[in-house]
Structure formats: structure tokens, C-alpha cells
């Protein structure tokens, strides 16, 4: 990772460590819940994405460096909270998908932040069970 990308990563993760605990408590915040690859405990991460039919789409701003992506690689079974309702599903990492094009289909505010602060974008699709 370049030094600029590394600085972006460090700044974004420092900011998210402070903001994410607050966002997780908001009832309508979209959350992705993975299982911790080491602890085995549920890990909820605020995300921006969109449900399209039986799938939920999002773009990881730091690709495979994101902790939730690392958790998905260890166990793809996840839950997604959309509009206050939990859905179970299986997450798929899509390195061949164009994440910039995908961001154009997702909520604007989050997409702008991901484009501005991200490095190594990665598309994630969650196939929902219900």
C-alpha cells in the first residue's frame, strides 16, 4: 500500500473507531454483522449499501484490509440490518466487480465518503436467505 493510501487508512480507521460505536446504536443504521475470526463473537459494523431483490450490495473502502472482510473470508455467514430488520445471508467478495461503478448504484452520501477515503475498494454481495 502506498504511503498516501496508508495515511488514508490510518485516518479513516481512527475516525471510525470513534464514530462506529455511536452509529451502531442508531435504530435505522444499516449494520453488517460478521463472526469474529479469532474471538467467534458477533461483530457489527455500520455500512452503507443497498438491498436489490434478494441481495444486499456494499463496497468495502479498504478491501481485504477491512476487518469485516477478513471475518467474511473466515466465515461468510452474516446478518444485515436494513431499516431496523435483521436478515441472514451469505457474503461473497467480488474482486472482479467494478467497485466505482457499483458505488454509483448505492446511497450517495456513503458512496462519496468511500470514494474519498477509500483505497483498494472491494465489492461485497450478501445473498439474503429471507
Amino acid at each position: 500500500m502506498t504511503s498516501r493510501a496508508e495515511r488514508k487508512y490510518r485516518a479513516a480507521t481512527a475516525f471510525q473507531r470513534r464514530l462506529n460505536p455511536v452509529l451502531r446504536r442508531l435504530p435505522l443504521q444499516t449494520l453488517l454483522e460478521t463472526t469474529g475470526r479469532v474471538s467467534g463473537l458477533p461483530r457489527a459494523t455500520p455500512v452503507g449499501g443497498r438491498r436489490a431483490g434478494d441481495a444486499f450490495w456494499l463496497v468495502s473502502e479498504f478491501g481485504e484490509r477491512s476487518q469485516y472482510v477478513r471475518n467474511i473470508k473466515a466465515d461468510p455467514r452474516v446478518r444485515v440490518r436494513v431499516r431496523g430488520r435483521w436478515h441472514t445471508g451469505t457474503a461473497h467478495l467480488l474482486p472482479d466487480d467494478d467497485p466505482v461503478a457499483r458505488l454509483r448504484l448505492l446511497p450517495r452520501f456513503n458512496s462519496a465518503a468511500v470514494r474519498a477515503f477509500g483505497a483498494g475498494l472491494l465489492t461485497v454481495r450478501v445473498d439474503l436467505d429471507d
Side-chain angles (χ1 to χ4, degrees):
M1 189 174 263
T2 68
S3 62
R4 182 170 188 254
E6 183 64 29
R7 284 193 306 272
K8 286 171 109 176
Y9 176 77
R10 287 180 187 206
T13 54
F15 178 73
Q16 289 169 348
R17 275 191 202 106
R18 290 169 180 80
L19 183 64
N20 285 355
V22 174
L23 292 177
R24 279 192 288 267
R25 289 189 213 119
L26 298 176
L28 295 180
Q29 171 65 48
T30 302
L31 296 177
L32 174 68
E33 184 182 83
T34 60
T35 301
R37 63 193 174 283
V38 175
S39 69
L41 298 173
R43 301 294 183 199
T45 304
V47 295
R50 176 168 283 144
R51 183 172 181 164
D54 292 336
F56 181 83
W57 293 86
L58 67 126
V59 174
S60 168
E61 65 187 330
F62 292 107
E64 295 194 18
R65 273 191 93 174
S66 296
Q67 297 300 316
Y68 68 86
V69 170
R70 295 171 70 187
N71 289 342
I72 287 169
K73 288 174 88 171
D75 181 359
R77 299 294 304 158
V78 300
R79 293 193 321 153
V80 180
R81 186 176 77 183
V82 181
R83 295 187 183 115
R85 183 167 178 253
W86 285 101
H87 305 272
T88 59
T90 304
H92 303 277
L93 307 177
L94 304 172
D96 294 331
D97 189 68
D98 180 353
V100 175
R102 182 68 55 194
L103 284 170
R104 291 187 201 112
L105 304 172
L106 300 178
R108 283 187 205 160
F109 180 74
N110 179 265
S111 294
V114 168
R115 275 193 300 276
F117 299 110
L121 305 179
L122 176 65
T123 301
V124 179
R125 183 188 75 230
V126 177
D127 294 332
L128 303 172
D129 297 335
D130 51 350

